[in-house]
Amino acid sequence: MTYSELSDQIFQKQSYLCVGLDTDPRKLPPHLLTEKDPVFAFNKAIIDATADFAVAYKPNIAFYEAQGPRGWESLQKTLDYIPASCFTIADAKRGDIGNTSDLYARTFFDPTAAGLDFDSVTVAPYMGHDSVTPFLAYKGKWVILLALTSNAGSTDFQYQTLSSRTASQKPLFEKVIETAQGWAGPDQLMFVVGATQTSELERIRQLAPDNFLLVPGVGAQGGSLADVSRLGLTKAGGLLVNASRSILYASNGPDFADRARDEAQRLQLEMAGYLTQIQ
Amino acid sequence: MTYSELSDQIFQKQSYLCVGLDTDPRKLPPHLLTEKDPVFAFNKAIIDATADFAVAYKPNIAFYEAQGPRGWESLQKTLDYIPASCFTIADAKRGDIGNTSDLYARTFFDPTAAGLDFDSVTVAPYMGHDSVTPFLAYKGKWVILLALTSNAGSTDFQYQTLSSRTASQKPLFEKVIETAQGWAGPDQLMFVVGATQTSELERIRQLAPDNFLLVPGVGAQGGSLADVSRLGLTKAGGLLVNASRSILYASNGPDFADRARDEAQRLQLEMAGYLTQIQ
């Protein structure tokens, strides 16, 4: 999916909601456990219930990997079921030396390899340019680079201040954002910025005025959709705000899909309001 | 495997060789392609040929993941085939927020999840403490944290100098090594230090005097085994030096396992010499 196609989807649906498919087999509604593939049955119901309100779906690969080979089969079926109009994100946080990153890129981008054909993958920046560029070699595919994450551990390294020969000092995450923009343009590069880090969002938007930001941490992790939207929205949309647990586990009963739909719609309506303000 | 058991293996075998199972289906000897599981057939032959000379095996997860579900089956069979006396490393470079890292830890450490029971997993530090500690909750299992990697991109962020209120400034990788030692002792924590970075190895050994270092980059990437050994060996061994391509692809013919054995033995004999010097 291209930058302008993603932007168009956002304004058509009046939503920048990304539904995180962090599907934990231990949390499924009991009535699904008799299904042949309970994880896929759950995801299918969630996608059916939320597709009117979401522009993106983000399976968290750990949840599938932890099931072994059958988890990868559930992931494959889930990806194939997501409507083509929705942007797909493999939340994998991969990154390795060049020849290995090339294989991770094949895994998620080349359907002749593992069968998967995601639009994008999340990548960890620690190993630098040659750990990221193999993903960018796939035209039309995206890297979503970790910049400032939503967890407590983000302070350990991401906020470390770098010394510089110039007067300006900056934290590591700003260096990551600046450096990575030399590797790709906003048509292939997004950044992960946690919703719990809104105090930094204004500065990040200055550093990356046109890049989409993938923002987790609204909902269960406590980030504010109003703050994220005020500081992060651009004329092209420029945001994908992820919600996972608050949608997936809105109910544990037979009505789980209806309650998931309600929560997705609630977020979409709030987003529609913020989108009106930028136009 | 415990610290002292690993150390004992090193002195018994007179080797700190780790064989990297970066098994690329596109590089297999042609006569194996008729096997039901060519990747496992290759790995089995490599393990049989090198187990006298290696103390550790390190499957690079990307190579299996890129094959989809059957790659995970090859990985499972390979792990089950590695002798119990050898240390096993899932080279996965994972790392995510706590609840997700917990699932990655289950994937590689809890055999009731994905079927895998590795001794250790490589972890990326960018997301900080709560992305690493879920792996450490598994007693007897190890985290091998990326510190200074062997690739060109290591200069992008790992070498960035941090400013400090004290007079001493340090690069990010030193901060990672110092900080992580607050999370676990040398009985559960190793660091990845590329063999191409020997100029830093003396300093790293000062910062982490007792931790094992996993050193990739000898062989195809050009690092010097002599330099790594001189600067990195400790009284307990303290090193796992990885070779992948130089062993796996020593020959592409029917003699591939014999040539792999020759190369593993050549490295072991060189290592035995260096081990003599520290005693």
Side-chain angles (χ1 to χ4, degrees):
Chain A
M1 186 176 289
T2 67
Y3 188 97
S4 63
E5 285 167 350
L6 178 56
S7 179
D8 288 349
Q9 282 295 317
I10 288 172
F11 289 101
Q12 278 178 32
K13 285 189 171 168
Q14 288 288 295
S15 168
Y16 38 97
L17 176 62
C18 174
V19 175
L21 296 170
D22 300 13
T23 306
D24 189 336
R26 297 168 294 186
K27 291 188 185 173
L28 296 181
H31 74 282
L32 289 182
L33 298 180
T34 56
E35 296 278 342
K36 189 178 172 201
D37 183 342
V39 167
F40 174 61
F42 179 82
N43 286 351
K44 182 171 177 293
I46 291 288
I47 293 164
D48 285 339
T50 59
D52 289 344
F53 311 115
V55 293
Y57 288 93
K58 180 174 75 64
N60 183 327
I61 304 304
F63 287 75
Y64 302 88
E65 201 170 285
Q67 304 304 308
R70 76 195 152 95
W72 286 86
E73 286 162 10
S74 302
L75 177 64
Q76 171 80 69
K77 284 186 272 185
T78 299
L79 181 63
D80 292 346
Y81 193 74
I82 295 170
S85 60
C86 294
F87 188 77
T88 54
I89 301 167
D91 194 0
K93 301 190 173 70
R94 301 298 194 255
D96 207 312
I97 65 171
N99 77 323
T100 303
S101 270
D102 181 54
L103 280 163
Y104 282 127
R106 289 186 66 218
T107 300
F108 295 110
F109 289 163
D110 178 353
T112 69
L116 302 173
D117 191 11
F118 279 93
D119 288 313
S120 65
V121 63
T122 56
V123 176
Y126 190 74
M127 293 182 68
H129 64 89
D130 50 339
S131 68
V132 177
T133 48
F135 295 95
L136 297 167
Y138 286 78
K139 295 304 165 198
K141 302 292 190 181
W142 299 66
V143 163
I144 307 181
L145 195 67
L146 300 185
L148 186 57
T149 57
S150 59
N151 62 320
S154 64
T155 58
D156 286 324
F157 306 121
Q158 296 165 28
Y159 273 105
Q160 287 293 317
T161 306
L162 305 179
S163 66
S164 166
R165 289 192 190 83
T166 69
S168 66
Q169 298 191 330
K170 66 186 77 153
L172 176 62
F173 72 86
E174 290 193 14
K175 175 75 179 173
V176 168
I177 291 169
E178 289 179 347
T179 303
Q181 290 185 78
W183 306 337
D187 58 323
Q188 274 197 290
L189 181 67
M190 301 188 188
F191 295 104
V192 173
V193 179
T196 50
Q197 315 281 16
T198 48
S199 58
E200 307 293 346
L201 198 49
E202 189 166 9
R203 171 73 180 143
I204 290 170
R205 189 41 97 197
Q206 288 172 350
L207 292 171
D210 297 319
N211 297 80
F212 271 87
L213 306 179
L214 172 63
V215 183
V218 166
Q221 293 183 61
S224 156
L225 178 57
D227 289 347
V228 166
S229 303
R230 179 172 50 84
L231 298 166
L233 280 175
T234 68
K235 293 289 181 198
L239 285 181
L240 293 174
V241 171
N242 186 75
S244 299
R245 285 169 271 183
S246 64
I247 292 176
L248 268 53
Y249 308 121
S251 161
N252 191 40
D255 64 340
F256 76 96
D258 290 339
R259 295 294 80 73
R261 180 180 173 88
D262 291 346
E263 174 64 10
Q265 185 170 29
R266 188 188 69 75
L267 289 165
Q268 181 269 320
L269 286 170
E270 189 176 342
M271 289 175 178
Y274 301 132
L275 282 170
T276 306
Q277 294 171 26
I278 61 157
Q279 287 182 306
Chain B
M1 186 176 289
T2 67
Y3 189 97
S4 63
E5 286 167 349
L6 178 55
S7 179
D8 288 348
Q9 282 295 317
I10 287 173
F11 288 102
Q12 278 178 32
K13 285 189 171 169
Q14 288 288 297
S15 169
Y16 38 97
L17 176 63
C18 174
V19 175
L21 296 170
D22 300 12
T23 306
D24 188 336
R26 298 167 295 185
K27 291 188 184 174
L28 295 181
H31 73 281
L32 289 182
L33 298 180
T34 55
E35 297 277 343
K36 189 177 171 202
D37 182 341
V39 167
F40 175 61
F42 179 82
N43 287 350
K44 183 171 176 294
I46 292 287
I47 293 164
D48 284 339
T50 58
D52 290 344
F53 310 115
V55 294
Y57 288 92
K58 180 175 75 63
N60 182 327
I61 304 304
F63 287 76
Y64 302 87
E65 201 171 285
Q67 304 303 308
R70 76 194 152 95
W72 286 86
E73 287 163 9
S74 303
L75 177 64
Q76 172 80 68
K77 285 186 272 184
T78 299
L79 180 64
D80 292 346
Y81 193 74
I82 296 170
S85 60
C86 293
F87 188 77
T88 55
I89 302 167
D91 194 0
K93 300 189 173 72
R94 300 297 194 257
D96 207 312
I97 64 171
N99 77 324
T100 303
S101 271
D102 182 54
L103 280 163
Y104 282 127
R106 290 185 67 218
T107 300
F108 295 110
F109 290 162
D110 179 352
T112 69
L116 301 173
D117 191 10
F118 278 93
D119 289 311
S120 66
V121 63
T122 57
V123 177
Y126 190 74
M127 293 182 69
H129 64 90
D130 50 340
S131 68
V132 177
T133 47
F135 295 94
L136 297 167
Y138 287 78
K139 296 303 166 201
K141 302 293 189 179
W142 298 66
V143 162
I144 308 182
L145 195 66
L146 299 185
L148 186 56
T149 57
S150 59
N151 62 319
S154 63
T155 57
D156 287 325
F157 306 121
Q158 297 166 27
Y159 273 105
Q160 287 294 317
T161 305
L162 305 179
S163 66
S164 166
R165 289 194 190 83
T166 69
S168 67
Q169 297 190 330
K170 66 187 77 157
L172 176 62
F173 71 86
E174 290 192 14
K175 176 75 179 173
V176 168
I177 291 169
E178 288 179 348
T179 304
Q181 290 185 78
W183 305 338
D187 59 323
Q188 273 197 290
L189 181 66
M190 302 188 187
F191 295 104
V192 173
V193 179
T196 50
Q197 316 281 17
T198 48
S199 59
E200 308 293 345
L201 199 49
E202 189 166 9
R203 172 74 179 142
I204 290 170
R205 189 41 97 196
Q206 288 172 350
L207 292 172
D210 297 318
N211 297 80
F212 271 86
L213 305 179
L214 172 63
V215 183
V218 167
Q221 292 182 63
S224 156
L225 178 56
D227 289 346
V228 167
S229 302
R230 178 172 51 83
L231 298 166
L233 280 175
T234 68
K235 293 289 181 197
L239 285 181
L240 294 174
V241 171
N242 185 75
S244 299
R245 285 169 270 182
S246 64
I247 291 175
L248 268 53
Y249 308 122
S251 162
N252 191 39
D255 65 341
F256 76 96
D258 290 339
R259 295 294 78 75
R261 180 181 173 87
D262 291 346
E263 174 63 10
Q265 186 170 30
R266 187 187 70 73
L267 289 165
Q268 181 270 319
L269 286 170
E270 190 176 341
M271 289 174 177
Y274 301 131
L275 282 169
T276 307
Q277 293 171 27
I278 61 156
Q279 288 181 307

